Amino acid sequence: MSWQEQLVEAGYRLTRPRRIVMEILNNARAPLVPSAVFKRAQCDGHSLGLVSVYRTLALLLELDLVTLVHFSEGCHAYVLASPGHHHHIICSGCEEVIEFSGAEDLDALTARVQQETGFHIDDHLLQFYGLCPACQQAVAKKIS
Amino acid sequence: MSWQEQLVEAGYRLTRPRRIVMEILNNARAPLVPSAVFKRAQCDGHSLGLVSVYRTLALLLELDLVTLVHFSEGCHAYVLASPGHHHHIICSGCEEVIEFSGAEDLDALTARVQQETGFHIDDHLLQFYGLCPACQQAVAKKIS
DNA sequence: TTCCTAATTGAAAAAGATTATCAATAAGGA
DNA sequence: TCCTTATTGATAATCTTTTTCAATTAGGAA
Ligand SMILES: [Zn+2]
Ligand SMILES: [Zn+2]
Ligand SMILES: [Zn+2]
Ligand SMILES: [Zn+2]
């Protein structure tokens, strides 16, 4: 199913601004922040409001037609760091964060991806999201 | 080595604002955005400028005394999504992004972490960073 | 302890990013 | 073609982050 069909399927209209944004993302090699999409539209001679860019991206994200890419900077919630390499699990209920180590577990995957893509991988970002034991209980109580 | 010693070691002074921020992060259960650190300082009756919070967090990050936690929202660089579950490698040189699949490879790790922590994991964020083949060559040429 | 100097702070302002509002527009069906 | 309603875009309002610069203060020297 094409993205146009998915849009319509979900009850949205196929509009000019949405076409423009999709076209720009489609031609982009690197991930684009909203302002970059806006600028590119201007360069291409398209008339497109910045607000529409925000709205369109939010919609496309909701429909899973685009994905977010996270850079190291720009996501500013901070936790204390223990020495050494760690990853985090974040509870969707209470935002509690727990560290865990497990770099080795990524080694196989890293090697495979390096081989397949030719990239030289030197860093990674791994986080799990879920419910902590307390929030699991809270949910269980609410249901029962 | 304590964080105080690390600071001094790196040539920085041990100041009141830095102590306050570290204390707040130390007592926090959830990750805190700068404005949250600021508010908490105010509640605790500390006098601390918002700008200093930003500066201090940046410094602590540089010294690896704090880590960033990424939420799904708030990191707004978008790429087109293919259907299905994917991860991304981002080239630090040219920002090119490539998708790869490999959800299965995380299954073992997910299971282990669930067991160890009691969390119920329902989502994850995995990204690799590195150099694409083209940028590797560019680097190689520069050196030679 | 006291003094000095340079690092650091904080207030204010500037710059940027995001969201809310609402009249004007245009997509898609009748 | 016409109508209805989703959608757009300009403006303004909010937030967030960065810059600037005079006032403060940490930490070493005297
Ligand atoms: Zn929880
Ligand atoms: Zn890791
Ligand atoms: Zn590259
Ligand atoms: Zn995944």
Side-chain angles (χ1 to χ4, degrees):
Chain A
M1 190 158 55
S2 71
W3 69 267
Q4 289 96 335
E5 291 171 320
Q6 283 194 60
L7 251 193
V8 173
E9 181 93 356
Y12 297 100
R13 293 184 180 171
L14 187 53
T15 67
R16 219 175 118 53
R18 287 169 184 165
R19 278 205 204 87
I20 296 172
V21 171
M22 276 304 275
E23 186 196 324
I24 288 171
L25 287 178
N26 203 27
N27 295 336
R29 291 197 181 172
L32 299 176
V33 295
S35 61
V37 173
F38 177 65
K39 272 177 205 154
R40 218 166 267 214
Q42 289 192 309
C43 290
D44 294 358
H46 291 124
S47 144
L48 173 64
L50 177 57
V51 181
S52 296
V53 172
Y54 276 99
R55 279 191 292 231
T56 301
L57 288 174
L59 176 62
L60 295 176
L61 189 62
E62 188 191 307
L63 297 178
D64 283 321
L65 289 169
V66 300
T67 315
L68 287 176
V69 166
H70 300 247
F71 288 92
S72 322
E73 315 84 36
C75 308
H76 298 219
Y78 298 80
V79 282
L80 226 51
S82 315
H85 186 92
H86 289 283
H87 303 129
H88 296 97
I89 321 177
I90 306 169
C91 176
S92 326
C94 62
E95 294 204 329
E96 182 188 9
V97 169
I98 288 198
E99 279 185 341
F100 68 92
S101 60
E104 335 76 50
D105 297 279
L106 281 180
D107 286 352
L109 181 57
T110 303
R112 202 200 84 203
V113 172
Q114 268 189 135
Q115 182 125 84
E116 285 179 5
T117 63
F119 269 62
H120 175 69
I121 297 176
D122 53 31
D123 201 6
H124 60 253
L125 167 59
L126 173 63
Q127 286 184 187
F128 286 133
Y129 301 95
L131 281 183
C132 71
C135 287
Q136 285 174 52
Q137 289 219 334
V139 170
K141 271 191 183 172
K142 264 193 188 169
I143 291 172
S144 66
Chain B
M1 188 157 56
S2 71
W3 69 267
Q4 288 96 336
E5 291 171 320
Q6 282 194 60
L7 251 193
V8 173
E9 181 93 356
Y12 297 100
R13 293 183 180 174
L14 187 52
T15 67
R16 220 175 118 53
R18 286 168 185 168
R19 279 205 204 86
I20 296 173
V21 170
M22 274 306 273
E23 187 197 322
I24 288 172
L25 286 178
N26 204 27
N27 295 335
R29 291 197 182 173
L32 299 176
V33 295
S35 61
V37 172
F38 178 65
K39 273 177 203 154
R40 218 166 267 213
Q42 289 192 307
C43 290
D44 294 358
H46 291 123
S47 144
L48 173 64
L50 177 58
V51 181
S52 297
V53 172
Y54 275 97
R55 278 191 292 230
T56 302
L57 288 174
L59 176 61
L60 295 176
L61 189 62
E62 188 190 309
L63 297 177
D64 282 322
L65 289 169
V66 300
T67 316
L68 286 177
V69 166
H70 300 247
F71 289 92
S72 323
E73 315 84 35
C75 307
H76 298 219
Y78 298 80
V79 281
L80 225 52
S82 315
H85 185 94
H86 289 282
H87 303 128
H88 296 98
I89 321 177
I90 306 168
C91 176
S92 327
C94 62
E95 296 204 327
E96 183 188 9
V97 169
I98 287 197
E99 280 185 340
F100 67 93
S101 60
E104 337 74 51
D105 298 280
L106 281 179
D107 287 351
L109 181 58
T110 303
R112 203 201 82 204
V113 172
Q114 267 189 135
Q115 182 125 83
E116 283 178 7
T117 63
F119 269 62
H120 175 70
I121 297 175
D122 54 29
D123 200 6
H124 60 253
L125 167 59
L126 173 64
Q127 286 184 187
F128 287 133
Y129 301 95
L131 282 184
C132 72
C135 288
Q136 287 173 51
Q137 289 219 335
V139 170
K141 270 192 185 170
K142 264 193 188 169
I143 291 172
S144 64

